[in-house]
Amino acid sequence: VSLDCQDGGKRAVSQLHCHSDTVTDFDFSPFDQLLLATGSADKTVKVWCLSENGQDLPASAGVILGPEGCQVDMLQFHSTADGVLASGAGRRVKIWDVAQQQSLTELESHGDQLQSLAWKQDGALLGTSCKDKKLRIFDPRAKPTASQSVQGHENNKDSRLIWMDASDYLLSVGFNQMREREVKLWDTRRFSHSLLSCALDSSSGYVWVPLCPGNPRVWGENLLYCFEVSPLQPALTQVNQCVTEGKTQGAALVPKLALDVMACEVARVLQLTDSFIVPISYTVPRKSVQEFHEDLFPDSAGTLPSASSQEWWAGDNKQPSLTHHVVLFPQDGSGLSSPSSSLTSPSMAPSVSTTSGFASSSSQRSLQSILGPSSKFRHAQGTVLHRDTHITNLKGLNLTTPGECNGFCANQQRLAVPLLSAGGQIAILELSKPGRLPDTSIPTIQNGTPVADFCWDPFDLQRLAVAGEDAKIRIWRIPPGGLQKMLLEPEAVLRGHTEKIYSIQFHPQAADILASSSYDMTVRIWDLRTKQEVLCLKGHTDQIFSLAWSPDGRKLATVSKDGRVRLYKPRQSLEPEQDGPGPEGSRGARVVWACGGHYLLVSGFDSRSERQLYLYKADSLSAGPIAVGTVDVSPSTLIPFYDEDTSVVFLTGKGDTRVFVYEIVTEAPFFLECNSFSSSDPHKGFVFLPKTTCNVREVEFARALRLRQSSVEPVVFKVPRVKDLLLPTSDDIFPPTTVWWEPALTATAWLTGSNAQHQMLNLQPKDMTPVSEAPKDVPVRKYAPSSVYLEEKSDEQKKEELLSAMVAKLGNREDPLPQDSFEGVDEDEWVGRHG
């Protein structure tokens, strides 16, 4: 959730799909506000690079650390070094170098379960509390064993630690023997006993201590205590006690650099309740609130790290430079507002404070650099077209098609949608006739058996192939103009498989060639002219999840439940030419060809049921994937739609609300994440239309159809451009595309070993000029050159300019004055009035 309001004072909430199990802890980097570390019960630590707007969240983590031996319980970034992260799991603490993705050290095992850890502000020491009631101090760079330890709180319930600023004082919060919540202050130079102890109340709840240097705020269920700590006396003085409206589920402090210093706001706490995020502001009353009070705002740590992870590990103890608060905000306090009103106005909940934002500077050694280059499609925008283009009132959809089926299919003229009616009915809808469908029944194809998969012939837009659960493939021909009555008899029936068919796919180059996979663990290739099986590929030992022809039509790839990816050259051998390790999960997978047919892209699940992408070199499958990327955690199989022209892949699953977009490149990091498309309700299917349906003038590089519960709506993907592109064509986005609707070969030619390639088509409209050839705009100087202001002028020139300016302001002296147009009075009237 962004701290900044959007239009209308609303804030959008985005969800980051992090782990395959419960998220246990997370922490932002102090040097990069977009870098987030998360820990989970799945035993891994992940580091994420968030987007500036907070909405386009990454689909996969930039770094994955672990797995650990047990669930990760706590995380904290280092206070001075960039890319150093401490994690606690069970009884052990590890220090990680995130940039190198490796562990720097592992501290000795604690006597019991860890409860908290905290870096000292100068980054030299690490403190921990444990269920064995001990507090420990570590110097991780010196030795993995504790340098000091002491008996902490007498009760082994939850406890927390914080360091007091950059001093040697440590504050702990826990429970005493009477189960009272207590606060203890420690001097680590004399660590044998606490300096003072203060009991708060008797409560069964846990204690949470967010740190505000010198002024800790200790959370209970609905109480917020504020103390001033004076270690030298020593004293712990309660400043105030705030009763909150809702029960506290968590709390966080807004960074110092984001406070409204001109309003004397010294701290701001964000309280998390069951339903709201409530800001609680602490201000010090002053007579003049528009003056900067240096006594309230000493210099604080800046946003630049003092050392890299390797420099710190080598012994560097430099401290981050301090930042003076007054230089970060305007002197008039403009753009800053107090959040306190949201506490007293229920209508504003949920609310967080509106501030001028965090300091924008970040480390030049930012960990974002490990995420690699960005895609030119990263700002692509998916938009649902106007309702006038939708097909609505669609009733009786079959939402239980097999996982190997896309749910529905479409070409540039019409779409086919399976219905729930008996007999495997399929509705054929014309894209040229959008609008509301009649309430009465519409003409359908009567397939005679439940539909397993179906697809349109790319070279014959009226031919539809339908695979049924009875192990037969039926070929249907749609009359020109669409169905006018129920279609009962297929054009042909293909028999050969002995069990239910998984999927079917037409050949990309040759006419009348169709491939199908079945539960009988074979892939069969059919000649639709003779209605006969011509090839039967073998070698699978379990269910075939997916098959895909190579773009040149010479090879065929499959991925199966036995965890293998196979590559066939059907005309040369019926056995696989290559095979390699595939996804570990057995819930489903898909395969497509990428990057000119030299790579294979596989979507599937890992052993923890996370949805992942695997990229293989097609000539070396046995070496395994060259890149693996985690997308998210979801039960549905990701269906990839790959655009050969742009090398962009769209990924979504049936029942998802999000379409992930990546550009695939042939060098690290291989997957370049782009903006995703999200919808408010889950879609039942998502298919892409041919490139020729795109509006090139609007920089629309992909168009899809989204199947909802009772409607079909078009979705377009555009690349925003800074300048108006009504004249030049974006030839960097629209290279020549394949004339896929014309076959390059006949079935006979392909079966006898011939090869051919499609012709290419330039999508550039005749009245448009490519961007690469468009004339470059001549930069226009917005301001006069400095020489105009710096050149020396004589006194006479300056006097003349001054007089000219005065005359221009006063106007023409020959113009009549306003009083010249006034009319006077007669003498008699004057005398009569004033005599």
Side-chain angles (χ1 to χ4, degrees), residues 566-813:
R566 293 175 174 86
L567 188 62
Y568 291 85
K569 288 185 177 180
R571 295 173 298 181
Q572 298 179 13
S573 174
L574 302 181
E575 297 292 332
E577 179 199 35
Q578 296 184 63
D579 68 26
E584 298 176 9
S586 58
R587 300 175 60 179
R590 293 294 183 97
V591 59
V592 293
W593 292 78
C595 303
H598 300 293
Y599 291 80
L600 284 174
L601 180 67
V602 176
S603 64
F605 296 86
D606 66 2
S607 58
R608 297 190 295 270
S609 296
E610 292 183 330
R611 298 199 290 191
Q612 291 192 326
L613 292 180
Y614 307 81
L615 188 65
Y616 298 81
K617 283 188 175 181
D619 58 0
S620 56
L621 285 184
S622 59
I626 61 173
V628 179
T630 300
V631 178
D632 64 354
V633 179
S634 182
S636 62
T637 303
L638 279 174
I639 304 173
F641 302 94
Y642 180 76
D643 180 10
E644 295 182 11
D645 296 345
T646 58
S647 195
V648 169
V649 64
F650 302 85
L651 299 136
T652 190
K654 290 185 289 186
D656 286 2
T657 59
R658 187 175 180 185
V659 178
F660 300 95
V661 185
Y662 294 89
E663 182 181 0
I664 309 300
V665 294
T666 57
E667 56 187 22
F670 300 103
F671 306 120
L672 302 183
E673 186 176 3
C674 308
N675 278 350
S676 60
F677 167 77
S678 298
S679 53
S680 57
D681 60 317
H683 41 252
K684 313 307 176 185
F686 210 96
V687 299
F688 279 77
L689 296 174
K691 183 61 73 74
T692 51
T693 62
C694 296
N695 187 345
V696 177
R697 296 177 184 272
E698 296 294 331
V699 203
E700 179 186 314
F701 72 99
R703 179 176 290 230
L705 295 176
R706 177 173 177 260
L707 179 63
R708 302 176 64 189
Q709 185 74 37
S710 61
S711 65
V712 178
E713 58 187 24
V715 180
V716 297
F717 292 85
K718 300 179 181 180
V719 176
R721 294 294 194 181
V722 175
K723 59 194 295 186
D724 187 5
L725 286 175
L726 290 180
L727 289 179
T729 304
S730 301
D731 51 348
D732 57 332
I733 305 297
F734 300 100
T737 190
T738 302
V739 183
W740 50 265
W741 56 92
E742 295 179 0
L745 293 166
T746 64
T748 302
W750 182 80
L751 289 171
T752 55
S754 297
N755 297 305
Q757 292 294 326
H758 285 301
Q759 295 180 353
M760 305 302 289
L761 174 69
N762 192 343
L763 295 175
Q764 173 193 335
K766 294 181 179 179
D767 59 340
M768 296 178 70
T769 305
V771 169
S772 58
E773 300 176 9
K776 304 299 182 182
D777 293 335
V778 178
V780 179
R781 186 185 295 275
K782 295 183 179 180
Y783 306 101
S786 58
S787 58
V788 173
Y789 304 100
L790 299 178
E791 66 179 359
E792 293 294 334
K793 297 181 179 180
S794 64
D795 292 340
E796 290 298 327
Q797 288 176 315
K798 294 177 181 179
K799 186 183 297 183
E800 185 66 28
E801 289 181 0
L802 180 59
L803 289 173
S804 298
M806 293 174 64
V807 170
K809 190 164 185 68
L810 293 174
N812 192 342
R813 295 184 182 183

Side-chain angles (χ1 to χ4, degrees), residues 9 22 52 345 401 469 505 550 579 594 648 660 663 665 808 831:
T22 307
E52 288 283 355
S345 175
T401 53
E469 294 187 358
Q505 191 174 108
S550 62
D579 68 26
V648 169
F660 300 95
E663 182 181 0
V665 294
V831 174

